[in-house]
Amino acid sequence: MSRSRLVSGVEVVAVPGRGLAVRTTDGEFLSVRTGDADGDALLSVLTGAGPTPATEEVNRLVRAFEKVGYVAGETRLAQWPADRRDVRLLGDPVLTRPLAAHLAALGAEARTAPAVTTPEGAPVRIEDLLDGDPAAVVWCLDGPVPEGLWEAADRLPEHGVAWLRCHREGWQAYVEPLAATPGDVTAAHVRARRLAATPAHRELAAYWRGPRTSGAPVRLTVPAAALLAALLADDLGRWATGTTDTAGFPARRRLRHVDLRTLTVTEHPVLPVPAATPTPEKDG
């Protein structure tokens, strides 16, 4: 059976009158100067189609493909490791249901709970989040984050538990960076960075605190919920399998903004807030 040696996403096409061209993983086309090499022999080697003898010219071109990362040895999809399979999902079912389905398809074992139950007015405790010894905790909110709700969860990486979250503010949703080790970006860091980045920091802080007067409620559509769940599952899968990010910002330093009206995703780099840096003051 033929086995392609080209890396996933790279393709070679024969262009009438112009020879061979490579379509890269970014969707760009690059011409291949084959010189005296036999184009069919080159394609045979690149696709692993059979024992076609390769000339020195063909081997030179294959080495050039290898040098720029278009050719690799046999690769297999990374499997979800057993010690990271236990993922606890908290929050709103409109998001946790599709996320659980994505994670199951990837090989994880998702445990879904609507919320961490605490006495009214009492903060969530880190002991409640660590109950059952999960490898990761994902918290999905179909609305803004109440003040202090994620304070304990921000300490999960200190206990060796990955921490991932998303929430909605009107027609905008935010998928925050995955935090896996102490020093990674927490929810408090994202909150502080967002306040510092906008001239409307007083208004944003007031919006988070509430109360908020709204018109007709925003309803997450099935495609919008599926998109948010897919983004979360992809970030979690990359952490679990150690898969490298090949485009955009690293998952642990990336804040995604999703326009729920158009399903447009925008990435923003975000860094941890140094301990000595004061959080922007909020009006009382």
Side-chain angles (χ1 to χ4, degrees):
M1 179 180 291
S2 298
R3 177 176 58 82
S4 176
R5 298 185 61 198
L6 294 168
V7 299
S8 177
V10 173
E11 299 167 289
V12 178
V13 59
V15 184
R18 296 184 63 88
L20 300 179
V22 175
R23 186 183 188 277
T24 71
T25 54
D26 294 324
E28 298 178 349
F29 286 96
L30 305 175
S31 296
V32 181
R33 296 180 180 177
T34 56
D36 296 330
D38 185 303
D40 290 337
L42 175 62
L43 290 177
S44 180
V45 174
L46 291 177
T47 59
T52 303
T55 65
E56 180 54 36
E57 277 299 300
V58 169
N59 287 331
R60 180 183 62 80
L61 289 170
V62 172
R63 288 194 296 270
F65 271 74
E66 292 173 344
K67 186 175 182 180
V68 294
Y70 295 159
V71 169
E74 184 175 3
T75 58
R76 297 179 181 177
L77 291 176
Q79 299 298 309
W80 202 293
D83 61 346
R84 291 185 171 182
R85 279 188 188 145
D86 189 357
V87 180
R88 188 176 187 187
L89 306 184
L90 303 174
D92 294 303
V94 68
L95 290 166
T96 57
R97 275 196 300 262
L99 178 54
H102 286 319
L103 292 177
L106 291 172
E109 297 175 359
R111 293 186 290 127
T112 306
V116 176
T117 55
T118 60
E120 186 176 353
V124 175
R125 301 180 309 156
I126 188 67
E127 293 81 7
D128 299 321
L129 298 170
L130 294 173
D131 184 44
D133 195 24
V137 172
V138 188
W139 206 327
C140 307
L141 292 180
D142 185 20
V145 186
E147 190 77 28
L149 179 66
W150 285 349
E151 185 175 347
D154 273 349
R155 295 169 50 204
L156 284 167
E158 301 170 17
H159 296 266
V161 178
W163 164 224
L164 185 60
R165 61 269 175 203
C166 78
H167 69 282
R168 179 183 61 78
E169 298 175 6
W171 285 110
Q172 288 73 45
Y174 295 88
V175 178
E176 299 195 3
L178 182 142
T181 60
D184 277 347
V185 178
T186 65
H189 294 160
V190 171
R191 216 168 173 96
R193 293 293 189 189
R194 288 186 60 194
L195 286 173
T198 175
H201 60 90
R202 295 179 181 84
E203 290 80 0
L204 181 57
Y207 173 78
W208 285 337
R209 284 196 306 268
R212 296 171 292 273
T213 302
S214 304
V218 172
R219 301 289 186 191
L220 270 179
T221 64
V222 171
L227 172 60
L228 293 173
L231 294 174
L232 292 166
D234 183 67
D235 281 352
L236 204 62
R238 289 178 183 277
W239 159 77
T241 60
T243 304
T244 328
D245 293 289
T246 56
F249 302 110
R252 287 158 70 177
R253 295 292 185 268
R254 171 183 61 205
L255 173 66
R256 286 190 178 115
H257 169 267
V258 182
D259 189 322
L260 298 173
R261 298 163 299 182
T262 61
L263 301 188
T264 302
V265 181
T266 308
E267 294 185 355
H268 305 274
V270 61
L271 296 172
V273 177
T277 304
T279 301
E281 294 183 3
K282 303 174 185 178
D283 290 351

